[in-house]
Amino acid sequence: MCIRDRYQRRVRDRSNSTMATQEIKLFDKYTFDDVNVSQDMALTDYLAVKTSDATFVPHSAGRWQKTRFKKAQCPLIERLTCSLMKHGRNSGKKVKAVRIVRHTMAIIHLTTAENPLQVLVDAVINAGPREDSTRIGSAGVVRRQAVDISPLRRVNQALWLLTTGAREAAFRNIKTIAECLADELINAAK
């Protein structure tokens, strides 16, 4: 048996033992298995938190805007990360946003002793508006008409509201944005 054969056997044994036992967890801590979206049946297709959507890090470099409605398949935690990259000075700094999300998940886990992914799902479900108003009118007469909101817009607006609230709470404050985002998510999930 030559050195190459021993090396290949060792690599094969090592890969078989690690691949069989390895479960995909967010930041190698938080599991996607017990996340439940059954509170709101309309959002089940638009909140990508199933085990098939599991990622180690919310940075897939996927092209989620290429076709219409493809961003609904983007993992929810990555959409939260991308939503944090707003306001010119933070645009494009995804590694910084990933770090903020990692700290936020740790804070949520320490304060609530729950799975932070479940807290995020509950916060998005509760924070998303169910109806809105639109402008109806012709010939100069405009009135507001109540309309229902599509599930994808509910998720988009919930993420925008949560991250904007955290950003404004952390601005000129001693609290970090991770702490403010954790507070927003915990309060919205109640």
Side-chain angles (χ1 to χ4, degrees):
M1 180 179 271
C2 68
I3 295 174
R4 188 187 71 212
D5 293 337
R6 278 188 282 176
Y7 176 74
Q8 287 177 344
R9 179 182 291 167
R10 194 174 342 139
V11 168
R12 187 174 54 241
D13 292 341
R14 195 177 296 157
S15 66
N16 288 341
S17 65
T18 57
M19 292 303 281
T21 60
Q22 189 173 20
E23 175 188 7
I24 298 177
K25 294 181 179 180
L26 180 66
F27 302 120
D28 278 338
K29 294 180 183 177
Y30 314 113
T31 182
F32 285 81
D33 292 335
D34 54 349
V35 178
N36 190 8
V37 192
S38 65
Q39 281 182 346
D40 198 343
M41 293 300 293
L43 298 180
T44 52
D45 295 335
Y46 298 97
L47 295 175
V49 288
K50 298 184 284 288
T51 53
S52 60
D53 304 314
T55 58
F56 287 109
V57 178
H59 194 326
S60 68
R63 295 163 67 188
W64 303 107
Q65 303 295 328
K66 188 164 176 61
T67 59
R68 192 173 184 206
F69 298 117
K70 188 170 169 98
K71 69 178 173 182
Q73 299 166 3
C74 180
L76 183 65
I77 193 75
E78 186 170 355
R79 294 198 56 201
L80 177 72
T81 305
C82 292
S83 183
L84 282 170
M85 297 190 301
K86 294 285 194 317
H87 283 273
R89 62 182 181 181
N90 293 326
S91 62
K93 299 179 182 176
K94 194 161 187 180
V95 175
K96 185 177 196 175
V98 168
R99 183 185 55 80
I100 291 168
V101 169
R102 187 176 68 234
H103 291 324
T104 300
M105 295 294 140
I107 292 169
I108 290 172
H109 184 68
L110 288 174
T111 56
T112 63
E114 294 180 30
N115 188 350
L117 290 168
Q118 183 65 51
V119 173
L120 173 64
V121 168
D122 294 341
V124 168
I125 288 172
N126 292 340
R130 288 172 179 80
E131 73 175 22
D132 199 1
S133 62
T134 187
R135 293 170 49 122
I136 303 284
S138 61
V141 179
V142 176
R143 62 187 182 96
R144 309 291 278 181
Q145 176 69 37
V147 292
D148 293 333
I149 294 183
S150 69
L152 184 61
R153 179 155 170 79
R154 281 182 62 189
V155 174
N156 295 345
Q157 205 160 5
L159 288 172
W160 183 82
L161 290 168
L162 289 168
T163 54
T164 302
R167 189 180 304 112
E168 289 176 358
F171 188 63
R172 292 188 181 169
N173 194 350
I174 197 166
K175 289 174 77 172
T176 63
I177 190 164
E179 294 170 352
C180 293
L181 184 60
D183 290 342
E184 287 281 334
L185 292 174
I186 291 169
N187 291 335
K190 289 181 183 176

